[in-house]
Amino acid sequence: SPDTYDAIVLGAGAAGLMCAAVAGQRGRRILLVDHNDVVGAKILISGGGRCNFTNIHTAPDRYLSANPHFAKSALGRYTAADFVALVDRYGIAWHEKTLGQLFCDGSAKQIVAMLRDECAAGSVDYALSSPVGAVDHDGNAYHVALPRRTVTAPKLVIATGGPSIPKLGATGFAYDLARRFGLKVVEPRPALVPLTLGGEEALFATLSGVASEVVASAGKARFREAALFTHRGLSGPAILQVSSYWRPRETIGIDFVPNAASGWLIEAKRQQPRTTLRRALAAHLPDRLAEALAERIGVSTELANTPDRRLDEAARRLADWRFAPNGSEGFAKAEVTVGGISTADLSSQTLEARRVPGLHAIGEAVDVTGWLGGYNFQWAWASGWAAAQAL
Ligand code: FAD
């Protein structure tokens, strides 16, 4: 029957497109379902429209998950080099921007067009503009109610992503469906998201627009990249990275002078006794930031008239400035979601639910979240590929 498939893939995002294409090319009859009228909406806006499609430094330790070993199998079997080979086969020009991040020279549209072509090569059927209604399992097959028909398959793949950026069609549907089949969901939280400052720290808003290279930390996680002050708090790659590790009521640390040698302020006092903390800092930081930090530290005297002890204190504070964010900008602004369908309930080889035969979950819906920099797409490709081998 035209409504019967080998597998139904829910969600035509990065993971769903890859999974459908690979399974289709393995000879499976696949239906790819999405409530949006376009496929790959997040791919199109990713990386500022150029799609940071992978990272050449992909490794399991660059992912957050309740089980840090879970991602190893899929990431090991479909690597960044495999995706680059696919991109090269399509003649899509790309470049490394920084830190192993690969971007299209042209447009993210090329990545979506490539995945559509790969799906066509696998004769994948689409059901777009199709919100998913009831999903039932009768022991042999899954029955999925779509607006004009009910489709049936022995295998069902949850690839509807996480709730980050609802205006692009993102929902928590994956979690609801997984729970319905008895799978656990690790509490979802917005990640790769700007953090907000309140109370006295809200005064940093006067620095809105100022950026500086820092080492930002949350717990044991440390990232050396740019931080940016915003009118609401803190952003920039270093902050987005630590936001994935940050939890409400915890503080984050910022080393504002990561390039300064230890004892640098005492040394500045010896070399330039007439200078001030503000001017010494301005050698390392944008002027406005140097001014604000010196003011907060409360050292305005010339270094010659400032005791070494106070300079040591100042240097220590500058190297681990504590901020206590009062929140984040939330799912509306988060690039990804940490948490999701528990890896404890899934096979790391096939992404199949251990106790629900034929049900698979891939991509961001799963409790595997990458760092900023192409790692999340690589997980989507790899988990989609791994599930496709089992369909
Ligand atoms: P998605 O790509 O989100 O796909 C899920 C699909 O499911 C969507 O098409 C959605 O419409 C559909 N869907 C959802 N709910 C339903 C429902 N109820 N019924 C039917 N369909 C549904 N990662 C990188 O690695 N590099 C980047 O450069 C990058 N840039 C990003 C920029 C932004 C602004 C954002 C928001 C994210 C970015 N990411 C980036 C993260 C990356 O986009 C995601 O990790 C990735 O898209 C996850 O793939 P996925 O297939 O699991 O989910």
Side-chain angles (χ1 to χ4, degrees):
S1 128
D3 292 332
T4 303
Y5 292 88
D6 291 322
I8 299 164
V9 179
L10 301 179
L17 284 162
M18 175 60 94
C19 182
V22 172
Q25 291 178 28
R26 292 181 67 246
R28 303 297 180 270
R29 221 172 101 68
I30 305 293
L31 180 68
L32 185 52
V33 180
D34 206 291
H35 62 174
N36 279 349
D37 57 359
V38 294
V39 303
K42 270 190 192 167
I43 301 174
L44 291 172
I45 57 139
S46 69
R50 288 216 160 81
C51 187
N52 178 191
F53 54 79
T54 193
N55 193 297
I56 56 174
H57 304 308
T58 296
D61 65 358
R62 288 157 187 229
Y63 292 82
L64 292 80
S65 173
N67 176 359
H69 303 294
F70 183 82
K72 282 183 185 166
S73 174
L75 292 174
R77 283 180 298 146
Y78 189 87
T79 64
D82 290 323
F83 194 77
V84 170
L86 179 62
V87 167
D88 285 344
R89 189 146 60 72
Y90 277 77
I92 299 171
W94 53 268
H95 60 281
E96 179 183 342
K97 195 167 168 192
T98 173
L99 302 172
Q101 303 168 4
L102 306 190
F103 285 75
C104 297
D105 290 357
S107 160
K109 287 180 192 157
Q110 297 172 285
I111 299 294
V112 174
M114 174 187 84
L115 293 167
R116 285 198 78 120
D117 283 0
E118 286 292 294
C119 284
S123 305
V124 171
D125 275 359
Y126 293 91
L128 300 182
S129 306
S130 295
V132 179
V135 176
D136 292 307
H137 186 225
D138 65 9
N140 296 312
Y142 293 89
H143 305 280
V144 178
L146 300 180
R148 281 165 298 278
R149 57 186 179 138
T150 294
V151 289
T152 298
K155 310 235 178 210
L156 182 68
V157 182
I158 305 176
T160 53
S164 295
I165 322 249
K167 70 168 194 273
L168 293 172
T171 67
F173 178 81
Y175 311 147
D176 301 338
L177 190 57
R179 284 196 190 96
R180 269 215 37 224
F181 284 100
L183 277 59
K184 286 195 208 48
V185 173
V186 176
E187 186 206 356
R189 290 182 288 122
L192 300 182
V193 65
L195 298 174
T196 56
L197 297 175
E200 198 270 332
E201 288 180 331
L203 298 175
F204 278 102
T206 57
L207 294 176
S208 181
V210 173
S212 188
E213 190 191 326
V214 303
V215 172
S217 60
K220 290 201 185 81
R222 300 168 69 75
F223 295 92
R224 188 193 189 104
E225 281 186 78
L228 170 72
F229 289 91
T230 71
H231 64 289
R232 293 189 62 188
L234 297 165
S235 188
I239 301 301
L240 298 181
Q241 296 282 32
V242 295
S243 75
S244 301
Y245 292 85
W246 175 79
R247 287 176 183 268
R249 287 173 296 283
E250 289 178 358
T251 61
I252 62 166
I254 293 191
D255 180 353
F256 281 112
V257 283
N259 297 317
S262 74
W264 68 281
L265 264 178
I266 307 286
E267 187 55 28
K269 176 175 172 175
R270 306 281 173 263
Q271 300 287 325
Q272 300 164 277
R274 300 269 75 85
T275 201
T276 59
L277 176 60
R278 175 187 166 178
R279 270 185 276 134
L281 261 177
H284 295 270
L285 300 176
D287 268 343
R288 284 163 65 199
L289 180 56
E291 179 183 5
L293 295 178
E295 201 169 285
R296 276 162 184 269
I297 290 170
V299 170
S300 53
T301 47
E302 290 179 349
L303 296 187
N305 300 323
T306 314
D308 283 5
R309 180 185 48 77
R310 290 226 57 198
L311 293 179
D312 276 334
E313 270 169 30
R316 271 203 302 278
R317 188 160 175 208
L318 288 162
D320 189 25
W321 198 284
R322 303 314 295 184
F323 285 96
N326 65 356
S328 79
E329 294 193 19
F331 285 116
K333 294 286 164 61
E335 269 192 31
V336 292
T337 306
V338 290
I341 299 172
S342 172
T343 57
D345 293 335
L346 300 173
S347 153
S348 63
Q349 310 279 316
T350 60
L351 289 301
E352 185 175 9
R354 293 182 187 285
R355 286 180 300 275
V356 193
L359 182 67
H360 297 250
I362 57 176
E364 198 178 321
V366 178
D367 174 32
V368 172
T369 307
W371 286 1
L372 182 75
Y375 297 99
N376 284 294
F377 280 138
Q378 187 58 38
W379 168 247
W381 316 136
S383 59
W385 186 92
Q389 307 307 308
L391 297 180

